[in-house]
Amino acid sequence: MALTLYSLLQASLLIVNAVAVLHEERFLRHIGWGSDQGIGGFGEEPGIKAQLTNLIRSVRTIMR
Amino acid sequence: KRRGPAAAPRMADPHPLFDDTSGSQPGGRGFAAPPPPPPASQFPPGAAFPVSSLAVAYGSTLATQGLDMVDRNINRFIPVGRLKYYFAVDTVYVGKKLGLLVFPFVHQDWQVRYQQDTPVAPRFDVNAPDLYIPGMSPPRDPPLCLWGPPQFSPDSLGLQASSALAWLLLEVVAIIFALYVVTVTTDLTPIDLVAFAGYKYVGMIIGLIAGLVFGRTAYYAVLSWCCLSVFVFMIRTLRLKLLAEAAAEGVLVRGAKNQLRMYLTAAIAAAQPLFMYWLTYHLLR
């Protein structure tokens, strides 16, 4: 039960680290989550997968 | 005015920021390395002793500089002006809001009234979110929880309090993440979400009090009632903010986008009772 602020900090740090480690060329491309695999296009709003891909890419850019 | 410890000492600072209370005690407390303290009888009050006056002056300049720095930087992290809006409440509003939290079934109009594009302060509109009630509730939670069981200790008080805060933060972060992924365009600020997430503490406290005074069955009964009312409250409030206009007025709008938003609203509202139960059940033995 005892979720302390410190454990929250630890968890967030580990999660950010995990996202930063997701290399696009080596992993995401095979799953179809690469940065150049058809997220684009105006018109309809981006779906969930596009948002997640964007999020991963922005986190990695900030962490670089 | 920078004043290093090795500078020539002045005898008295013309505009002291605070009273020199180092009169009958060894001077230079904590600021500069003090010389061995003279006996108290040789030490007249006032700045006759050079090191003490130096320390006083240094401390006062340090204090003003620190205050300036805090003033300049506080607005970068916490928008103080925005926060003031959430605390503009009065007793009538608090009473009505608490009644609404416990019995939201009769209230008809949930729309927040606006005034030239900015929401009206909570004092004038019962539907506006505030931070006063959520601010008062989590600190009440731990003392109540620990009243019953005999294992009260100051450590567990702090642990319980920070645990409640951590769960609140986690929930708000999860909601923000979900809102981002589903690309809902809404005018809910993160502070609004903190306010809404904090409303469930009212139900928790009422349930806990009932449980402590009347026993376990009363706790379950009161808590389920509060869970239900918080659920309805959240759905009715969030419906207006998250869903499209047509759907908010009761018309069932089919379509993938709206359905996803409806599920999201229902999920956020359903998470509240879950949290309410989870955070309190083990405290009532």
Side-chain angles (χ1 to χ4, degrees):
Chain A
M1 163 63 217
L3 174 78
T4 62
L5 286 174
Y6 182 66
S7 60
L8 204 60
L9 188 67
Q10 266 184 324
S12 59
L13 198 61
L14 288 174
I15 290 179
V16 170
N17 183 34
V19 172
V21 172
L22 285 173
H23 197 281
E24 278 173 18
E25 275 190 27
R26 293 179 193 170
F27 309 121
L28 299 179
R29 197 152 289 177
H30 301 299
I31 318 180
W33 279 30
S35 58
D36 52 354
Q37 282 169 347
I39 2 163
F42 298 113
E44 279 308 311
E45 297 174 20
I48 295 189
K49 174 176 146 179
Q51 289 289 99
L52 281 178
T53 321
N54 259 339
L55 187 65
I56 292 181
R57 196 149 46 93
S58 12
V59 172
R60 295 198 70 239
T61 310
I62 294 180
M63 289 286 123
R64 192 167 295 176
Chain B
K1 206 191 288 185
R2 270 276 162 210
R3 185 183 300 276
R10 275 195 332 172
M11 288 311 283
D13 192 13
H15 304 287
L17 191 63
F18 47 85
D19 293 340
D20 180 16
T21 53
S22 60
S24 58
Q25 292 159 16
R29 288 171 59 193
F31 291 132
S41 58
Q42 285 185 11
F43 205 70
F49 193 57
V51 176
S52 92
S53 75
L54 173 66
V56 162
Y58 187 52
S60 69
T61 52
L62 211 59
T64 39
Q65 279 170 358
L67 274 175
D68 288 338
M69 198 170 61
V70 166
D71 271 336
R72 258 182 285 128
N73 286 339
I74 194 75
N75 266 332
R76 277 202 281 152
F77 295 117
I78 311 176
V80 180
R82 286 290 304 155
L83 272 186
K84 279 192 193 162
Y85 157 79
Y86 288 98
F87 286 101
V89 297
D90 62 346
T91 328
V92 175
Y93 168 80
V94 171
K96 279 200 221 165
K97 193 84 181 188
L98 286 178
L100 209 59
L101 278 171
V102 178
F103 200 76
F105 309 110
V106 185
H107 192 82
Q108 295 299 329
D109 174 33
W110 291 84
Q111 179 66 266
V112 177
R113 285 197 288 277
Y114 285 88
Q115 186 192 23
Q116 295 156 355
D117 232 16
T118 58
V120 173
R123 194 176 294 144
F124 305 114
D125 178 19
V126 181
N127 294 322
D130 72 312
L131 275 178
Y132 176 75
I133 293 180
M136 292 292 122
S137 316
R140 282 203 194 111
D141 208 19
L144 276 181
C145 301
L146 300 171
W147 188 319
Q151 71 261 20
F152 179 81
S153 70
D155 299 336
S156 50
L157 194 73
L159 187 64
Q160 188 70 15
S162 68
S163 174
L165 189 64
W167 277 117
L168 188 72
L169 284 179
L170 191 63
E171 183 189 349
V172 172
V173 166
I175 292 182
I176 293 180
F177 180 71
L179 286 179
Y180 169 76
V181 169
V182 181
T183 64
V184 168
T185 50
T186 173
D187 54 351
L188 279 180
T189 65
I191 306 187
D192 279 337
L193 289 174
V194 172
F196 285 134
Y199 281 142
K200 65 175 171 299
Y201 287 107
V202 177
M204 278 162 64
I205 290 178
I206 297 180
L208 274 178
I209 292 182
L212 284 175
V213 175
F214 292 119
R216 238 188 138 91
T217 42
Y219 163 70
Y220 280 126
V222 174
L223 195 71
S224 23
W225 171 265
C226 288
C227 284
L228 187 65
S229 49
V230 161
F231 183 68
V232 171
F233 178 84
M234 291 297 290
I235 286 212
R236 287 195 178 167
T237 313
L238 290 178
R239 200 170 52 154
L240 285 171
K241 302 256 178 177
L242 293 183
L243 295 183
E245 293 307 317
E249 279 165 23
V251 179
L252 272 180
V253 179
R254 283 285 159 210
K257 207 82 194 91
N258 254 345
Q259 231 172 3
L260 195 54
R261 288 187 194 175
M262 276 197 277
Y263 281 140
L264 184 64
T265 316
I268 294 178
Q272 309 285 324
L274 282 180
F275 270 118
M276 285 168 70
Y277 181 63
W278 191 4
L279 289 176
T280 52
Y281 78 98
H282 67 287
L283 295 160
L284 214 54
R285 305 202 184 287

